[in-house]
Amino acid sequence: MRLTRVFVDGTLTPGAIVELARDTASHLAKVLRARSGDELILFNGDGREFTGAIEAVRGSRVSASIGAARSVDRESSLALTLLQCVPRGDRMDFIVQKATELGVGRIVPVLSQRSVVRLDESQSASKQAHWHAVAVNACEQCGRNRLPTVEAPQPLLSYLGALTPIQTPGLLRLVLEPEGALHPRPRAAPSMVAEPVSGAHIAIGPEGGFAPEELEAFELSAFSRLRLGPRVLRTETAAIAAIVVLQARFGDMSAVSDDTSRTTDS
C-alpha cells in the first residue's frame, strides 16, 4: 500500500515530533481517518524524504514522529521554466498542478495585454500563496521532494525586459504562437537542436493570444515561435502539451526505466 506523503514547512529531525499543519491534520483525521501508529512519508522540500508515523490524533490536531531520512531524486534533468499568462477561473490551478507533476522547476504567472484577469498587489500575493499550496499538494501526490518555485504574477513585458537578450547555449526560449510557422527556426526547434539542451523557457499566451508588440518583445528577448500542430489549443492544453514535448525530447520522459527514482540513504 502506498504511504501518504505529507509536506512539512520546517526542519525535519529524525527522532523528533512535529505538529502537522492545520489543513493537513484535518485531512488526515477527518478524511483519511488516520490513527496513532499509521505510517507516513514526510518531506520539507530539501530533496529528502523521511519515514514517519502518526504519534497522536487529538480532534483536528495531528502530530507525527520523524524517522530516518533518505535522499530521493525525482527532479528532471531539464530545467524548465513555464511562463504562463494567467487564465480565467481556476484553470491556473490545473496548470500549476500538472506542471508540477510533469517536473517544471519554475512557474512564472504573467499578465499580458489581452489577459482577461487583472490583479492588484494584494490579490497577486494571495494568488501566489494559493498556487504555492497547489504545487505542494501536487508534490505530495507525485513524489517530488523539491518544490517548484511559483512566483508572484507580474506584467509580461516587465519580465521580458529583465531578461538578457542574449540566448545561452543549451537553453531554449520558446513562445507558443498558433499563427506562427509549424516548424520554428532551426536554432530553437526541439527536433533540430544540435547542442545538448539543459533547460528551456516556454511561454504560453492568454485566451486571446499575445499582442503583436508582445511577440516583438519575445523576439528581442531571443524567444523563437513554436506551433504545436495544426490545431489551436486552449491555454491550459498548450501548457501541458509543450511541457510533455520538451520532457520527452530532452528530459526524463525520453526513456522508460524500471527504476525512475535515484535514492541514497542519508
Side-chain angles (χ1 to χ4, degrees):
M1 183 180 68
R2 184 181 179 188
L3 297 181
T4 300
R5 285 169 46 86
V6 174
F7 174 75
V8 176
D9 187 11
T11 302
L12 292 173
T13 304
I17 304 295
V18 64
E19 189 82 14
L20 301 183
R22 181 186 303 174
D23 290 347
T24 299
S26 179
H27 179 75
L28 286 170
K30 297 179 180 179
V31 179
L32 299 183
R33 305 291 184 184
R35 296 291 182 266
S36 178
D38 288 355
E39 295 182 345
L40 303 168
I41 293 176
L42 308 172
F43 70 104
N44 65 359
D46 70 357
R48 298 178 296 169
E49 60 185 28
F50 296 73
T51 59
I54 293 179
E55 186 73 13
V57 179
R58 296 180 290 273
S60 59
R61 297 180 60 186
V62 177
S63 59
S65 59
I66 305 170
R70 63 172 186 163
S71 295
V72 183
D73 182 10
R74 297 191 180 99
E75 296 304 297
S76 176
S77 58
L78 182 68
L80 276 174
T81 292
L82 174 64
L83 189 63
Q84 174 70 51
C85 286
V86 179
R88 291 174 295 180
D90 61 358
R91 286 185 287 176
M92 190 66 185
D93 289 14
F94 175 85
I95 293 168
V96 170
Q97 181 189 69
K98 300 311 173 188
T100 300
E101 291 177 24
L102 291 168
V104 170
R106 181 172 171 237
I107 300 170
V108 184
V110 291
L111 303 172
S112 66
Q113 181 177 317
R114 294 176 179 171
S115 292
V116 176
V117 175
R118 291 287 182 260
L119 302 171
D120 59 27
E121 186 175 346
S122 174
Q123 291 170 325
S124 292
S126 176
K127 287 291 188 182
Q128 181 186 21
H130 173 73
W131 293 327
H132 172 78
V134 171
V136 166
N137 290 338
C139 285
E140 289 177 332
Q141 181 274 323
C142 74
R144 288 181 69 174
N145 290 313
R146 293 191 185 277
L147 305 180
T149 300
V150 182
E151 298 189 6
Q154 59 187 282
L156 171 62
L157 294 182
S158 296
Y159 178 82
L160 293 178
L163 286 177
T164 171
I166 306 299
Q167 177 63 297
T168 303
L171 297 177
L172 300 179
R173 289 182 182 177
L174 303 170
V175 53
L176 260 62
E177 171 50 40
E179 300 301 323
L182 188 58
H183 302 288
R185 291 194 297 272
R187 70 176 178 84
S191 61
M192 303 169 68
V193 176
E195 70 274 7
V197 172
S198 58
H201 267 65
I202 181 70
I204 313 294
E207 291 85 347
F210 290 114
E213 53 267 39
E214 291 170 337
L215 291 173
E216 291 177 8
F218 276 114
E219 291 282 349
L220 293 173
S221 298
F223 279 75
S224 292
R225 300 185 191 187
L226 176 67
R227 181 181 176 191
L228 292 179
R231 292 167 295 280
V232 177
L233 304 179
R234 289 181 177 272
T235 184
E236 67 271 27
T237 308
I240 306 312
I243 294 166
V244 170
V245 168
L246 290 169
Q247 285 283 39
R249 179 67 177 85
F250 303 116
D252 58 3
M253 297 178 74
S254 60
V256 177
S257 171
D258 291 333
D259 181 9
T260 56
S261 65
R262 300 175 291 283
T263 67
T264 57
D265 293 332
S266 60

